[in-house]
Amino acid sequence: EIPKSKMKMAFLSACSISSKLRVFSSSTEVDKIMGCPDASSTEAVAAETADIPRFYPIGTPGKPWSDSERNQWKESRKYHRSYKEEVLDKLDKLKSNDALEVVQYGALSHNPGRYPLFAVKSKQWKDERSTLLVTGGVHGYETSGVQGALLFLETQAAKYTEQVNILVAPCISPWA
């Protein structure tokens, strides 16, 4: 037997879907017959879902999060990786490299002190040379590209600085 609360959640989901497919029905009559709340009213949805058990501990079903709820969520997050340890510390070691230069080109607006953005380039940059661009970390939790770009810098990049300009942005988006 399906609990009433789960049936109600499925029913409300169906109502939400039907309100988006108004092209296929006379929605006002169908919604009235089905007893669907007006999908444009977050208060109506919140009222209809008030007695449904919450699956997520923050917020009220059917209502956008407030600033305090967003802060509560941020405080509940656990860091699984360290940008400092996995990227910044490795870039610091490259600062003594004779062939490469580490330059800061920006920072995330969310927490600029924690998330500065760096690139590494050939010290002997020449406009007439071709340029090799290597990027990693376009999606922050996809770390293989970040680690591959850093490994290239640590082990191979200096070998090619006489032939091409090298520009490496090892972690474009550390928080995405």
Side-chain angles (χ1 to χ4, degrees):
E1 184 176 327
I2 299 173
K4 185 177 179 184
S5 63
K6 287 191 179 186
M7 286 175 50
K8 188 170 185 180
M9 180 61 84
F11 176 74
L12 288 171
S13 295
C15 292
S16 176
I17 291 168
S18 74
S19 69
K20 292 177 184 164
L21 301 175
R22 292 176 189 263
V23 168
F24 301 108
S25 67
S26 73
S27 62
T28 308
E29 280 304 307
V30 171
D31 286 351
K32 197 180 287 184
I33 292 166
M34 292 176 63
C36 294
D38 179 0
S40 64
S41 167
T42 57
E43 290 79 20
V45 173
E48 286 292 320
T49 60
D51 64 332
I52 297 173
R54 294 183 186 188
F55 298 103
Y56 198 74
I58 299 171
T60 303
K63 291 180 84 176
W65 282 1
S66 67
D67 288 340
S68 66
E69 289 166 332
R70 272 189 290 283
N71 289 334
Q72 181 184 357
W73 176 82
K74 287 177 185 176
E75 290 170 9
S76 72
R77 301 297 85 200
K78 178 183 174 194
Y79 292 103
H80 296 278
R81 294 185 180 91
S82 169
Y83 179 62
K84 181 185 179 317
E85 291 173 11
E86 294 189 25
V87 178
L88 299 180
D89 289 350
K90 292 179 181 182
L91 288 172
D92 278 342
K93 292 176 185 174
L94 290 170
K95 289 180 180 176
S96 61
N97 188 305
D98 293 334
L100 302 170
E101 176 183 7
V102 179
V103 294
Q104 183 173 352
Y105 67 87
L108 293 188
S109 60
H110 170 68
N111 190 340
R114 184 180 184 138
Y115 297 109
L117 301 172
F118 289 95
V120 181
K121 65 182 205 109
S122 307
K123 280 186 179 176
Q124 302 301 318
W125 192 277
K126 295 184 179 176
D127 289 340
E128 62 272 6
R129 287 186 187 156
S130 296
T131 300
L132 170 68
L133 173 65
V134 177
T135 63
V138 174
H139 304 110
Y141 277 101
E142 295 172 358
T143 60
S144 60
V146 174
Q147 297 308 314
L150 290 168
L151 185 62
F152 170 74
L153 287 168
E154 293 165 359
T155 63
Q156 302 297 316
K159 296 176 189 177
Y160 300 101
T161 57
E162 297 290 322
Q163 292 87 21
V164 295
N165 295 319
I166 294 177
L167 179 61
V168 179
C171 193
I172 291 175
S173 182
W175 200 55

